[in-house]
Amino acid sequence: DAMRIGDLMILTLRRPQEAAARLRALGLGWGARWALLLLAVTVSSLLAGLAQILFPPPPDWSLKPLFDAPLALAGMQLGAMLLSAGAVTLAGRAFGGSGTFADAILLIGWSELVLCAVQATELVLLLVLPPSGPLMSLIAFGLSIWLAVSMTRALHGFSSTAKVALGFFVVLFVIATLLSVLGGALGLFPEVAP
């Protein structure tokens, strides 16, 4: 029911702990959780493609090849979400959390759908009021961090938002460092002369 989905999105923005509890209470199986994740990836990729059509990037934009290949973009988004779900589950459990990978998939997929609604709103505002772009991008970025921290807190039953935020940034730093080392070892990044 579209009305209940809209209500749940608003609840997610206002009271993410309660929204996470309602999502978990649905008792969705693995198939439905994967479908939610794939729906989020699909909608996000479609919105990114639409944004590129409506607001063409400069020809020398470094990410243009990725956005010109929607299946590659969708694959990268799916990979990033799965990596996030695994990292959130393992890191949270390392600090005494009780979340599961299945629930991480559910909450990350749902959070991405909420962010897709924000992205769609941003596109409409950019068409109607172009100067709002930078502000909307900043709001969307802040909202994505806030949702990640809030949903991680809900996933693991943690009580301190500040501690979860600190842990989130530490894990993000560690993952970025590991991916940089891996990318360098595989020759994916150009060498920089001193």
Side-chain angles (χ1 to χ4, degrees):
D1 177 275
M3 187 59 162
R4 290 194 326 195
I5 291 173
D7 291 343
L8 188 55
M9 283 188 169
I10 291 169
L11 183 64
T12 301
L13 297 173
R14 290 184 178 166
R15 295 187 308 275
Q17 299 277 99
E18 189 178 329
R22 286 193 185 179
L23 285 165
R24 290 165 118 178
L26 293 173
L28 300 175
W30 270 105
R33 291 167 194 248
W34 279 105
L36 176 68
L37 198 64
L38 292 173
L39 176 64
V41 166
T42 302
V43 172
S44 180
S45 296
L46 289 172
L47 286 170
L50 180 60
Q52 187 177 3
I53 291 168
L54 293 174
F55 309 102
D60 60 340
W61 185 42
S62 62
L63 294 178
K64 189 166 178 9
L66 177 63
F67 280 79
D68 285 342
L71 287 178
L73 178 62
M76 282 189 61
Q77 286 181 323
L78 180 61
M81 286 182 198
L82 291 173
L83 178 65
S84 297
V88 162
T89 303
L90 293 175
R93 285 182 167 254
F95 289 100
S98 59
T100 65
F101 182 71
D103 283 344
I105 291 284
L106 174 68
L107 297 180
I108 286 173
W110 176 254
S111 295
E112 184 63 29
L113 274 181
V114 171
L115 292 172
C116 284
V118 172
Q119 187 179 2
T121 304
E122 184 178 3
L123 284 176
V124 170
L125 279 175
L126 280 171
L127 287 171
V128 176
L129 190 62
S132 68
L135 178 61
M136 279 303 296
S137 293
L138 188 59
I139 290 170
F141 177 73
L143 190 59
S144 68
I145 298 293
W146 182 74
L147 274 178
V149 169
S150 297
M151 287 300 186
T152 300
R153 181 176 168 226
L155 174 68
H156 289 292
F158 293 136
S159 58
S160 171
T161 301
K163 287 180 182 176
V164 173
L166 178 62
F168 174 80
F169 286 111
V170 167
V171 169
L172 190 63
F173 177 77
V174 168
I175 289 173
T177 302
L178 290 174
L179 289 177
S180 293
V181 169
L182 180 63
L186 295 175
L188 299 175
F189 303 125
E191 289 188 30
V192 179

